Amino acid sequence: MARARFAAGIGALAGLLLLVVGRGLVNYDTLYTLVWGRDLAAGELPDYDVPLAPTPHPLATVAALLAAPVTRLESGGVAGEVAANGAIALAFVSLALLGWVVYRLGAAWFHPAVGVLAAVLLLTRRPVLDFGARAYVDLPYLALVLGAALVETQRPKAGRPVLLLLGAAGLIRPEAWLFAAVYLLWTRDLRLLPYAAIGPVGWALYDLLITGNPLHSLTDTQDNAAALERVTGLANVPGTVPRRLGEILREPVLLGAAGGGVLALAWLRERARLGAAVGVLGLLAFCVLAAAGLPILGRYLLLPAAILVIFAAAGVLGWLALAPDDPRRRPWQAFGAVVAVALLAFAPGQIDRIGDLRRALAVQATIQEDLSALVAAG
């Protein structure tokens, strides 16, 4: 019964998010994933040598393979629409799950009210809604990594469940490999090594089976970044990270995260320690990708952004985790009031940005429909 209520709640939230943005679309990367899954289902190897092919994500491609029998992708066909709509539905479910996990983390680390505010803040950021509406694989990845953090919060040194979630995440994005490695070192339990290796070993085996080169995803992504003249390199990280995080979160949330992080680490260190560690590791993983010559994209910062959202909510309401007679409540409440006023002042602008997103998605959908009509007409 509890599982049924949970599934119904996630479905209702996913539907609400779809109503907020108006529609969903399938982005370039995910569309290729659907095509590659169809190829595998037909007994053919995916063609990764097409110009500027996106990076393959093994777990996403396997998911497309499993769905291929009922969603054979054909240009302009009903089955193709089923495949695209299935990817969009999964994206909105992932977005809803992400909101739920952020709520649970905020509640576990600080207070249920912090969790509610954190989820609301995250799910009203235009870039987060944008990536969800366009069915990027970054949303399932993010839900899996934060889900691992939630399991660890509930059961310290849980071991295998945490690494299984990170292993699944590591078959979507390589940043999870760093989380798994650090977690293995922290537990000092070498029996967990096979689970920590799921991501890198699984990805290398996938590339080897498909292309004959276990490093295909790395080298091909580096080549594409060079061809598209993407911003790469560790030297560009200091100038890129603050700007991209600002684009995702906006000024009041950054203010709340800065003050909330300081207050939480000063007065609720045990509660805040895991969140701070996850945020720092997320930034470190971003730096590793940049140093490896991979593109510096804003969506690669969604994990640190989600952690900052939780600390921003803690900046507003984290004082609820202190005892009622604790004298530290008063200064924390004062800071929270300042951030709350800033959030309210910026709310109309945030609503306008979501409106702009709705219009942008509508325009792109119209363009895609026109192109589909041209293809159907020969």
Side-chain angles (χ1 to χ4, degrees), residues 17 53 60 103 117 131 175-176 183 204 215 245-246 350-351:
L17 292 169
Y103 158 72
L117 180 58
F131 294 135
E175 296 98 307
Y183 187 76
L215 298 178
L245 285 175
Q350 195 64 30
I351 293 172

Side-chain angles (χ1 to χ4, degrees), residues 103 195-196 243 314:
Y103 158 72
Y195 302 103
R243 184 171 69 254

Side-chain angles (χ1 to χ4, degrees), residues 200-211:
V201 173
W203 201 312
L205 287 176
Y206 175 87
D207 276 359
L208 180 63
L209 289 172
I210 300 297
T211 69

